[in-house]
Amino acid sequence: DIQMTQSPSSLSASVGDRVIVTCRASQNIGSYLNWYQQKPGKAPKFLIYRASNLQSGVPSRFSGSGSGTDFTLTISSLQPEDFATYFCQQSYKTITFGQGTRLEVK
Amino acid sequence: LQLQESGPGLVKPSETLSLSCAVSGGSISNHSYYWGWIRQPPGKGLEWIGSIFHTGSTNYNPSLKSRVSISVDTSSNKFSLMLTSVTAADMGVYYCARHRPECVGSSCFWEGWFDAWGQGTQVIVSS
């Protein structure tokens, strides 16, 4: 199984901050990495596919990068609605998710 | 597109969990998509359970494969999940989702991403 490890597990930030969430795969997964946002009590929302492609309708302050084993999700200027938990998901071999990064208000 | 899960919210240990997902605003027979189930234990992360194509072709999480069955009913635009021999470890929120496969050039691989989700349904395992 390909293990996905996110860091940090939780992160405190303020509105306007630049935030980076990291996801590491246990083996090379190319660019087969996707990102989701989940707010409490809600279903996940799809954000980014194949590491760096923004899903339609997702604000441009979100961006993704990386390949191989190391990936990042960046929020360039944090907005109040961005406080949520973020999950990465690999689609290289079967499907597995990271454990999540909780983004909290500082 | 909307997806709506339904099914018993309470299942007894060792029994079978059965959930359905009704798809509206789009056809489950769309050749571009699979349809998947994902679950989330309380306070934990996401776990993919399995996915199905409208033809009935399925892919399952290896860790659950022996207990999982996913089926599709194209006439009613629904797909369903059965999970046998449930235990407390199977408790959580169960989501159905539209599953976009990875397509590179003319080649497509069933792995991909989930671009539309149902609201989720809570499942409790208790006698």
Side-chain angles (χ1 to χ4, degrees), chain B residues 36-97:
Chain B
W37 289 97
I38 303 101
R39 68 181 183 178
Q40 186 169 33
K44 295 189 177 181
L46 301 165
E47 180 180 36
W48 170 70
I49 300 170
S51 296
I52 191 164
F53 198 54
H54 68 90
T55 57
S57 175
T58 53
N59 292 282
Y60 297 132
N61 186 323
S63 68
L64 297 169
K65 189 173 184 177
S66 64
R67 297 194 293 129
V68 172
S69 177
I70 297 176
S71 59
V72 64
D73 182 348
T74 55
S75 64
S76 58
N77 229 33
K78 291 183 178 179
F79 63 108
S80 300
L81 168 70
M82 291 182 64
L83 181 65
T84 62
S85 305
V86 299
T87 69
D90 295 310
M91 288 179 50
V93 178
Y94 283 68
Y95 296 100
C96 61

Short mmCIF file of all heavy atoms in Angstrom, two decimals, chain B residues 36-97:
data_model
loop_
_atom_site.label_atom_id
_atom_site.label_comp_id
_atom_site.label_asym_id
_atom_site.label_seq_id
_atom_site.Cartn_x
_atom_site.Cartn_y
_atom_site.Cartn_z
N GLY B 36 -18.26 6.02 -6.42
CA GLY B 36 -17.53 5.43 -5.32
C GLY B 36 -18.14 5.64 -3.94
O GLY B 36 -19.03 6.46 -3.76
N TRP B 37 -17.61 4.85 -3.02
CA TRP B 37 -17.96 4.97 -1.61
C TRP B 37 -16.69 5.26 -0.81
O TRP B 37 -15.66 4.61 -1.01
CB TRP B 37 -18.61 3.69 -1.09
CG TRP B 37 -20.00 3.45 -1.59
CD1 TRP B 37 -20.37 2.67 -2.64
CD2 TRP B 37 -21.21 4.01 -1.08
NE1 TRP B 37 -21.74 2.71 -2.81
CE2 TRP B 37 -22.27 3.52 -1.86
CE3 TRP B 37 -21.51 4.87 0.00
CZ2 TRP B 37 -23.61 3.87 -1.62
CZ3 TRP B 37 -22.84 5.22 0.24
CH2 TRP B 37 -23.87 4.71 -0.56
N ILE B 38 -16.78 6.20 0.09
CA ILE B 38 -15.69 6.59 0.98
C ILE B 38 -16.29 6.72 2.39
O ILE B 38 -17.43 7.17 2.54
CB ILE B 38 -15.09 7.96 0.56
CG1 ILE B 38 -14.60 7.92 -0.89
CG2 ILE B 38 -13.97 8.37 1.49
CD1 ILE B 38 -15.54 8.55 -1.89
N ARG B 39 -15.52 6.32 3.38
CA ARG B 39 -16.03 6.45 4.75
C ARG B 39 -15.05 7.21 5.62
O ARG B 39 -13.87 7.36 5.29
CB ARG B 39 -16.32 5.09 5.36
CG ARG B 39 -15.10 4.24 5.63
CD ARG B 39 -15.53 2.89 6.23
NE ARG B 39 -14.38 2.06 6.58
CZ ARG B 39 -14.49 0.87 7.13
NH1 ARG B 39 -15.69 0.34 7.38
NH2 ARG B 39 -13.40 0.18 7.43
N GLN B 40 -15.57 7.69 6.75
CA GLN B 40 -14.76 8.49 7.67
C GLN B 40 -15.13 8.14 9.10
O GLN B 40 -16.19 8.55 9.59
CB GLN B 40 -14.97 9.98 7.41
CG GLN B 40 -14.08 10.89 8.21
CD GLN B 40 -14.15 12.33 7.73
OE1 GLN B 40 -15.19 12.81 7.27
NE2 GLN B 40 -13.03 13.03 7.80
N PRO B 41 -14.29 7.39 9.79
CA PRO B 41 -14.54 7.10 11.21
C PRO B 41 -14.58 8.40 12.01
O PRO B 41 -13.98 9.41 11.60
CB PRO B 41 -13.36 6.22 11.61
CG PRO B 41 -12.84 5.67 10.32
CD PRO B 41 -13.08 6.74 9.31
N PRO B 42 -15.24 8.37 13.16
CA PRO B 42 -15.36 9.59 13.96
C PRO B 42 -14.00 10.22 14.28
O PRO B 42 -13.11 9.56 14.80
CB PRO B 42 -16.05 9.09 15.24
CG PRO B 42 -16.75 7.85 14.85
CD PRO B 42 -15.93 7.23 13.76
N GLY B 43 -13.85 11.47 13.91
CA GLY B 43 -12.64 12.21 14.21
C GLY B 43 -11.40 11.77 13.45
O GLY B 43 -10.28 12.16 13.80
N LYS B 44 -11.60 10.99 12.41
CA LYS B 44 -10.45 10.46 11.67
C LYS B 44 -10.49 10.87 10.20
O LYS B 44 -11.30 11.68 9.78
CB LYS B 44 -10.42 8.94 11.81
CG LYS B 44 -10.16 8.48 13.24
CD LYS B 44 -9.92 7.00 13.32
CE LYS B 44 -9.60 6.58 14.74
NZ LYS B 44 -9.32 5.11 14.84
N GLY B 45 -9.59 10.29 9.44
CA GLY B 45 -9.46 10.63 8.04
C GLY B 45 -10.38 9.83 7.14
O GLY B 45 -11.27 9.11 7.59
N LEU B 46 -10.14 9.96 5.85
CA LEU B 46 -10.98 9.35 4.83
C LEU B 46 -10.41 8.01 4.38
O LEU B 46 -9.20 7.86 4.25
CB LEU B 46 -11.09 10.29 3.63
CG LEU B 46 -11.67 11.67 3.93
CD1 LEU B 46 -11.39 12.63 2.78
CD2 LEU B 46 -13.18 11.57 4.19
N GLU B 47 -11.31 7.07 4.14
CA GLU B 47 -10.91 5.76 3.64
C GLU B 47 -11.77 5.41 2.44
O GLU B 47 -13.00 5.33 2.55
CB GLU B 47 -11.04 4.69 4.72
CG GLU B 47 -10.63 3.31 4.25
CD GLU B 47 -10.76 2.24 5.32
OE1 GLU B 47 -11.72 2.32 6.12
OE2 GLU B 47 -9.91 1.33 5.35
N TRP B 48 -11.12 5.17 1.30
CA TRP B 48 -11.85 4.73 0.11
C TRP B 48 -12.28 3.28 0.31
O TRP B 48 -11.48 2.44 0.73
CB TRP B 48 -10.96 4.88 -1.12
CG TRP B 48 -11.51 4.25 -2.35
CD1 TRP B 48 -12.59 4.67 -3.09
CD2 TRP B 48 -11.01 3.09 -3.00
NE1 TRP B 48 -12.78 3.84 -4.16
CE2 TRP B 48 -11.83 2.86 -4.13
CE3 TRP B 48 -9.96 2.22 -2.75
CZ2 TRP B 48 -11.62 1.80 -5.00
CZ3 TRP B 48 -9.73 1.16 -3.62
CH2 TRP B 48 -10.57 0.96 -4.72
N ILE B 49 -13.54 3.01 -0.02
CA ILE B 49 -14.09 1.66 0.13
C ILE B 49 -14.08 0.92 -1.20
O ILE B 49 -13.63 -0.23 -1.29
CB ILE B 49 -15.53 1.70 0.67
CG1 ILE B 49 -15.57 2.40 2.05
CG2 ILE B 49 -16.11 0.29 0.75
CD1 ILE B 49 -16.97 2.70 2.53
N GLY B 50 -14.58 1.57 -2.23
CA GLY B 50 -14.64 0.93 -3.53
C GLY B 50 -15.38 1.79 -4.52
O GLY B 50 -16.03 2.78 -4.14
N SER B 51 -15.30 1.42 -5.79
CA SER B 51 -15.94 2.18 -6.85
C SER B 51 -16.48 1.24 -7.91
O SER B 51 -15.99 0.11 -8.07
CB SER B 51 -14.95 3.15 -7.49
OG SER B 51 -14.51 4.13 -6.57
N ILE B 52 -17.48 1.72 -8.65
CA ILE B 52 -18.11 0.91 -9.68
C ILE B 52 -18.35 1.74 -10.93
O ILE B 52 -18.65 2.94 -10.85
CB ILE B 52 -19.44 0.31 -9.15
CG1 ILE B 52 -19.98 -0.74 -10.11
CG2 ILE B 52 -20.48 1.40 -8.86
CD1 ILE B 52 -21.06 -1.64 -9.50
N PHE B 53 -18.22 1.10 -12.08
CA PHE B 53 -18.56 1.70 -13.37
C PHE B 53 -19.98 1.26 -13.73
O PHE B 53 -20.47 0.25 -13.21
CB PHE B 53 -17.54 1.23 -14.41
CG PHE B 53 -17.50 2.06 -15.66
CD1 PHE B 53 -17.32 3.44 -15.61
CD2 PHE B 53 -17.61 1.47 -16.91
CE1 PHE B 53 -17.26 4.20 -16.76
CE2 PHE B 53 -17.55 2.22 -18.09
CZ PHE B 53 -17.38 3.59 -18.00
N HIS B 54 -20.60 1.95 -14.62
CA HIS B 54 -22.00 1.64 -14.93
C HIS B 54 -22.16 0.23 -15.53
O HIS B 54 -23.25 -0.35 -15.47
CB HIS B 54 -22.60 2.69 -15.87
CG HIS B 54 -22.03 2.69 -17.25
ND1 HIS B 54 -22.56 1.93 -18.28
CD2 HIS B 54 -20.96 3.34 -17.78
CE1 HIS B 54 -21.86 2.12 -19.38
NE2 HIS B 54 -20.88 2.97 -19.11
N THR B 55 -21.09 -0.32 -16.04
CA THR B 55 -21.14 -1.67 -16.59
C THR B 55 -21.17 -2.73 -15.50
O THR B 55 -21.40 -3.91 -15.76
CB THR B 55 -19.91 -1.93 -17.47
OG1 THR B 55 -18.74 -1.71 -16.67
CG2 THR B 55 -19.89 -0.98 -18.67
N GLY B 56 -20.87 -2.30 -14.27
CA GLY B 56 -20.79 -3.23 -13.15
C GLY B 56 -19.37 -3.58 -12.76
O GLY B 56 -19.16 -4.29 -11.78
N SER B 57 -18.40 -3.09 -13.51
CA SER B 57 -17.00 -3.32 -13.17
C SER B 57 -16.67 -2.60 -11.86
O SER B 57 -17.00 -1.43 -11.68
CB SER B 57 -16.12 -2.79 -14.28
OG SER B 57 -14.76 -2.87 -13.94
N THR B 58 -16.02 -3.33 -10.95
CA THR B 58 -15.76 -2.78 -9.62
C THR B 58 -14.27 -2.80 -9.27
O THR B 58 -13.50 -3.60 -9.80
CB THR B 58 -16.50 -3.58 -8.54
OG1 THR B 58 -16.18 -4.97 -8.68
CG2 THR B 58 -18.00 -3.39 -8.64
N ASN B 59 -13.91 -1.91 -8.36
CA ASN B 59 -12.59 -1.90 -7.74
C ASN B 59 -12.80 -1.67 -6.26
O ASN B 59 -13.59 -0.80 -5.87
CB ASN B 59 -11.71 -0.80 -8.33
CG ASN B 59 -11.35 -1.06 -9.76
OD1 ASN B 59 -10.46 -1.87 -10.05
ND2 ASN B 59 -12.03 -0.42 -10.68
N TYR B 60 -12.11 -2.45 -5.43
CA TYR B 60 -12.31 -2.38 -3.99
C TYR B 60 -10.99 -2.12 -3.27
O TYR B 60 -9.92 -2.53 -3.72
CB TYR B 60 -12.90 -3.69 -3.46
CG TYR B 60 -14.28 -4.03 -4.00
CD1 TYR B 60 -14.55 -5.30 -4.49
CD2 TYR B 60 -15.30 -3.09 -3.99
CE1 TYR B 60 -15.81 -5.63 -4.97
CE2 TYR B 60 -16.57 -3.41 -4.48
CZ TYR B 60 -16.81 -4.68 -4.97
OH TYR B 60 -18.06 -5.00 -5.45
N ASN B 61 -11.11 -1.49 -2.11
CA ASN B 61 -9.97 -1.35 -1.22
C ASN B 61 -9.53 -2.76 -0.80
O ASN B 61 -10.34 -3.52 -0.27
CB ASN B 61 -10.38 -0.52 -0.01
CG ASN B 61 -9.22 -0.20 0.92
OD1 ASN B 61 -8.33 -1.02 1.14
ND2 ASN B 61 -9.26 0.98 1.49
N PRO B 62 -8.26 -3.09 -1.01
CA PRO B 62 -7.81 -4.44 -0.66
C PRO B 62 -8.09 -4.82 0.79
O PRO B 62 -8.36 -5.99 1.09
CB PRO B 62 -6.31 -4.39 -0.94
CG PRO B 62 -6.16 -3.33 -1.98
CD PRO B 62 -7.19 -2.30 -1.65
N SER B 63 -8.06 -3.84 1.68
CA SER B 63 -8.26 -4.14 3.10
C SER B 63 -9.71 -4.48 3.44
O SER B 63 -10.00 -5.00 4.51
CB SER B 63 -7.80 -2.96 3.95
OG SER B 63 -8.66 -1.85 3.77
N LEU B 64 -10.62 -4.15 2.53
CA LEU B 64 -12.06 -4.39 2.76
C LEU B 64 -12.66 -5.36 1.77
O LEU B 64 -13.82 -5.76 1.90
CB LEU B 64 -12.83 -3.07 2.70
CG LEU B 64 -12.47 -2.03 3.75
CD1 LEU B 64 -13.13 -0.68 3.39
CD2 LEU B 64 -12.92 -2.47 5.13
N LYS B 65 -11.87 -5.77 0.80
CA LYS B 65 -12.38 -6.50 -0.35
C LYS B 65 -13.20 -7.73 0.00
O LYS B 65 -14.20 -8.04 -0.65
CB LYS B 65 -11.21 -6.88 -1.27
CG LYS B 65 -11.63 -7.46 -2.59
CD LYS B 65 -10.42 -7.65 -3.50
CE LYS B 65 -10.85 -8.15 -4.87
NZ LYS B 65 -9.69 -8.29 -5.79
N SER B 66 -12.78 -8.42 1.05
CA SER B 66 -13.47 -9.67 1.40
C SER B 66 -14.88 -9.43 1.96
O SER B 66 -15.70 -10.35 2.02
CB SER B 66 -12.65 -10.45 2.43
OG SER B 66 -12.54 -9.72 3.64
N ARG B 67 -15.16 -8.20 2.36
CA ARG B 67 -16.46 -7.92 3.00
C ARG B 67 -17.34 -6.96 2.20
O ARG B 67 -18.47 -6.69 2.59
CB ARG B 67 -16.24 -7.31 4.39
CG ARG B 67 -15.52 -8.21 5.36
CD ARG B 67 -15.65 -7.70 6.79
NE ARG B 67 -14.95 -6.44 7.00
CZ ARG B 67 -15.50 -5.36 7.56
NH1 ARG B 67 -16.75 -5.37 7.93
NH2 ARG B 67 -14.78 -4.26 7.75
N VAL B 68 -16.83 -6.44 1.09
CA VAL B 68 -17.52 -5.37 0.37
C VAL B 68 -18.11 -5.86 -0.94
O VAL B 68 -17.51 -6.65 -1.66
CB VAL B 68 -16.54 -4.20 0.08
CG1 VAL B 68 -17.20 -3.18 -0.84
CG2 VAL B 68 -16.09 -3.55 1.37
N SER B 69 -19.28 -5.31 -1.25
CA SER B 69 -19.87 -5.51 -2.56
C SER B 69 -20.58 -4.22 -2.96
O SER B 69 -21.35 -3.66 -2.18
CB SER B 69 -20.89 -6.66 -2.53
OG SER B 69 -21.51 -6.81 -3.79
N ILE B 70 -20.26 -3.75 -4.16
CA ILE B 70 -20.91 -2.56 -4.69
C ILE B 70 -21.63 -2.94 -5.97
O ILE B 70 -21.07 -3.66 -6.81
CB ILE B 70 -19.88 -1.43 -4.96
CG1 ILE B 70 -19.21 -1.00 -3.64
CG2 ILE B 70 -20.57 -0.23 -5.61
CD1 ILE B 70 -18.11 0.03 -3.81
N SER B 71 -22.86 -2.47 -6.10
CA SER B 71 -23.66 -2.78 -7.28
C SER B 71 -24.26 -1.50 -7.84
O SER B 71 -24.30 -0.47 -7.16
CB SER B 71 -24.77 -3.77 -6.92
OG SER B 71 -25.60 -3.23 -5.90
N VAL B 72 -24.71 -1.58 -9.07
CA VAL B 72 -25.28 -0.41 -9.74
C VAL B 72 -26.62 -0.77 -10.37
O VAL B 72 -26.80 -1.89 -10.88
CB VAL B 72 -24.29 0.15 -10.79
CG1 VAL B 72 -24.04 -0.84 -11.92
CG2 VAL B 72 -24.76 1.49 -11.33
N ASP B 73 -27.54 0.15 -10.32
CA ASP B 73 -28.85 -0.01 -10.95
C ASP B 73 -29.03 1.18 -11.89
O ASP B 73 -29.43 2.27 -11.45
CB ASP B 73 -29.95 -0.06 -9.90
CG ASP B 73 -31.34 -0.28 -10.49
OD1 ASP B 73 -31.48 -0.16 -11.73
OD2 ASP B 73 -32.27 -0.56 -9.73
N THR B 74 -28.71 0.99 -13.14
CA THR B 74 -28.77 2.11 -14.08
C THR B 74 -30.20 2.57 -14.34
O THR B 74 -30.42 3.74 -14.64
CB THR B 74 -28.09 1.73 -15.41
OG1 THR B 74 -28.70 0.54 -15.92
CG2 THR B 74 -26.60 1.49 -15.21
N SER B 75 -31.15 1.67 -14.21
CA SER B 75 -32.54 2.04 -14.48
C SER B 75 -33.08 3.04 -13.46
O SER B 75 -33.93 3.87 -13.77
CB SER B 75 -33.43 0.79 -14.51
OG SER B 75 -33.46 0.17 -13.24
N SER B 76 -32.55 2.98 -12.25
CA SER B 76 -33.00 3.91 -11.22
C SER B 76 -31.93 4.93 -10.86
O SER B 76 -32.10 5.73 -9.93
CB SER B 76 -33.43 3.16 -9.96
OG SER B 76 -32.37 2.38 -9.46
N ASN B 77 -30.82 4.90 -11.60
CA ASN B 77 -29.72 5.87 -11.38
C ASN B 77 -29.20 5.82 -9.94
O ASN B 77 -28.97 6.86 -9.30
CB ASN B 77 -30.16 7.29 -11.73
CG ASN B 77 -29.18 8.00 -12.63
OD1 ASN B 77 -28.53 7.38 -13.47
ND2 ASN B 77 -29.06 9.30 -12.48
N LYS B 78 -29.00 4.61 -9.46
CA LYS B 78 -28.53 4.42 -8.10
C LYS B 78 -27.38 3.41 -8.06
O LYS B 78 -27.28 2.53 -8.93
CB LYS B 78 -29.64 3.88 -7.20
CG LYS B 78 -30.77 4.85 -6.90
CD LYS B 78 -31.77 4.21 -5.94
CE LYS B 78 -32.90 5.17 -5.58
NZ LYS B 78 -33.88 4.55 -4.67
N PHE B 79 -26.56 3.51 -7.06
CA PHE B 79 -25.60 2.47 -6.78
C PHE B 79 -25.60 2.20 -5.29
O PHE B 79 -26.03 3.05 -4.49
CB PHE B 79 -24.20 2.78 -7.32
CG PHE B 79 -23.51 3.99 -6.74
CD1 PHE B 79 -22.45 3.85 -5.87
CD2 PHE B 79 -23.91 5.28 -7.09
CE1 PHE B 79 -21.79 4.95 -5.36
CE2 PHE B 79 -23.26 6.39 -6.59
CZ PHE B 79 -22.19 6.23 -5.72
N SER B 80 -25.16 1.01 -4.93
CA SER B 80 -25.33 0.55 -3.56
C SER B 80 -24.08 -0.10 -3.01
O SER B 80 -23.24 -0.60 -3.75
CB SER B 80 -26.49 -0.46 -3.49
OG SER B 80 -27.70 0.14 -3.92
N LEU B 81 -24.01 -0.08 -1.68
CA LEU B 81 -22.89 -0.66 -0.93
C LEU B 81 -23.41 -1.69 0.03
O LEU B 81 -24.41 -1.46 0.71
CB LEU B 81 -22.17 0.45 -0.16
CG LEU B 81 -21.15 0.00 0.90
CD1 LEU B 81 -19.92 -0.59 0.24
CD2 LEU B 81 -20.76 1.18 1.81
N MET B 82 -22.74 -2.83 0.08
CA MET B 82 -22.99 -3.81 1.13
C MET B 82 -21.66 -4.13 1.80
O MET B 82 -20.67 -4.40 1.12
CB MET B 82 -23.62 -5.08 0.57
CG MET B 82 -25.05 -4.90 0.07
SD MET B 82 -25.77 -6.44 -0.53
CE MET B 82 -25.79 -7.41 0.97
N LEU B 83 -21.68 -4.08 3.12
CA LEU B 83 -20.48 -4.40 3.90
C LEU B 83 -20.89 -5.42 4.95
O LEU B 83 -21.74 -5.15 5.80
CB LEU B 83 -19.92 -3.15 4.58
CG LEU B 83 -18.67 -3.32 5.43
CD1 LEU B 83 -17.49 -3.72 4.56
CD2 LEU B 83 -18.36 -2.03 6.19
N THR B 84 -20.31 -6.60 4.87
CA THR B 84 -20.73 -7.69 5.74
C THR B 84 -19.93 -7.73 7.04
O THR B 84 -18.88 -7.10 7.16
CB THR B 84 -20.57 -9.04 5.03
OG1 THR B 84 -19.18 -9.24 4.73
CG2 THR B 84 -21.37 -9.08 3.73
N SER B 85 -20.45 -8.45 8.00
CA SER B 85 -19.77 -8.73 9.27
C SER B 85 -19.23 -7.46 9.92
O SER B 85 -18.05 -7.37 10.27
CB SER B 85 -18.63 -9.73 9.05
OG SER B 85 -19.08 -10.90 8.44
N VAL B 86 -20.08 -6.48 10.08
CA VAL B 86 -19.61 -5.19 10.60
C VAL B 86 -19.22 -5.28 12.07
O VAL B 86 -19.75 -6.09 12.84
CB VAL B 86 -20.66 -4.08 10.39
CG1 VAL B 86 -20.95 -3.88 8.92
CG2 VAL B 86 -21.93 -4.36 11.18
N THR B 87 -18.28 -4.43 12.44
CA THR B 87 -17.85 -4.28 13.83
C THR B 87 -17.84 -2.79 14.15
O THR B 87 -18.10 -1.95 13.29
CB THR B 87 -16.45 -4.87 14.05
OG1 THR B 87 -15.50 -4.04 13.38
CG2 THR B 87 -16.36 -6.30 13.54
N ALA B 88 -17.45 -2.48 15.38
CA ALA B 88 -17.38 -1.08 15.79
C ALA B 88 -16.42 -0.29 14.91
O ALA B 88 -16.57 0.92 14.73
CB ALA B 88 -16.96 -0.99 17.25
N ALA B 89 -15.42 -0.97 14.36
CA ALA B 89 -14.45 -0.29 13.49
C ALA B 89 -15.07 0.20 12.19
O ALA B 89 -14.46 1.00 11.48
CB ALA B 89 -13.29 -1.24 13.18
N ASP B 90 -16.27 -0.25 11.89
CA ASP B 90 -16.95 0.19 10.66
C ASP B 90 -17.86 1.39 10.88
O ASP B 90 -18.52 1.86 9.94
CB ASP B 90 -17.77 -0.97 10.08
CG ASP B 90 -16.90 -2.13 9.62
OD1 ASP B 90 -15.93 -1.87 8.88
OD2 ASP B 90 -17.19 -3.28 10.02
N MET B 91 -17.88 1.89 12.09
CA MET B 91 -18.70 3.07 12.38
C MET B 91 -18.11 4.31 11.75
O MET B 91 -16.90 4.45 11.63
CB MET B 91 -18.80 3.27 13.90
CG MET B 91 -19.68 2.24 14.59
SD MET B 91 -19.76 2.49 16.37
CE MET B 91 -20.15 4.20 16.51
N GLY B 92 -19.01 5.25 11.39
CA GLY B 92 -18.55 6.52 10.85
C GLY B 92 -19.53 7.08 9.85
O GLY B 92 -20.66 6.60 9.73
N VAL B 93 -19.08 8.09 9.15
CA VAL B 93 -19.89 8.68 8.10
C VAL B 93 -19.50 8.04 6.76
O VAL B 93 -18.31 7.94 6.44
CB VAL B 93 -19.69 10.21 8.03
CG1 VAL B 93 -20.50 10.80 6.89
CG2 VAL B 93 -20.08 10.85 9.36
N TYR B 94 -20.50 7.63 6.03
CA TYR B 94 -20.29 7.01 4.73
C TYR B 94 -20.74 7.98 3.65
O TYR B 94 -21.88 8.48 3.68
CB TYR B 94 -21.06 5.70 4.62
CG TYR B 94 -20.40 4.56 5.35
CD1 TYR B 94 -20.32 4.55 6.75
CD2 TYR B 94 -19.81 3.51 4.66
CE1 TYR B 94 -19.69 3.53 7.43
CE2 TYR B 94 -19.18 2.47 5.34
CZ TYR B 94 -19.12 2.50 6.71
OH TYR B 94 -18.48 1.48 7.38
N TYR B 95 -19.83 8.25 2.71
CA TYR B 95 -20.12 9.15 1.61
C TYR B 95 -20.15 8.37 0.29
O TYR B 95 -19.33 7.47 0.07
CB TYR B 95 -19.02 10.20 1.48
CG TYR B 95 -18.87 11.15 2.64
CD1 TYR B 95 -17.87 10.95 3.60
CD2 TYR B 95 -19.69 12.26 2.77
CE1 TYR B 95 -17.69 11.84 4.65
CE2 TYR B 95 -19.53 13.14 3.82
CZ TYR B 95 -18.54 12.93 4.76
OH TYR B 95 -18.37 13.81 5.80
N CYS B 96 -21.07 8.77 -0.58
CA CYS B 96 -20.97 8.34 -1.97
C CYS B 96 -20.46 9.52 -2.78
O CYS B 96 -20.64 10.69 -2.40
CB CYS B 96 -22.30 7.81 -2.51
SG CYS B 96 -23.68 8.97 -2.54
N ALA B 97 -19.81 9.23 -3.88
CA ALA B 97 -19.16 10.29 -4.64
C ALA B 97 -19.03 9.89 -6.11
O ALA B 97 -18.98 8.70 -6.45
CB ALA B 97 -17.77 10.59 -4.06
#
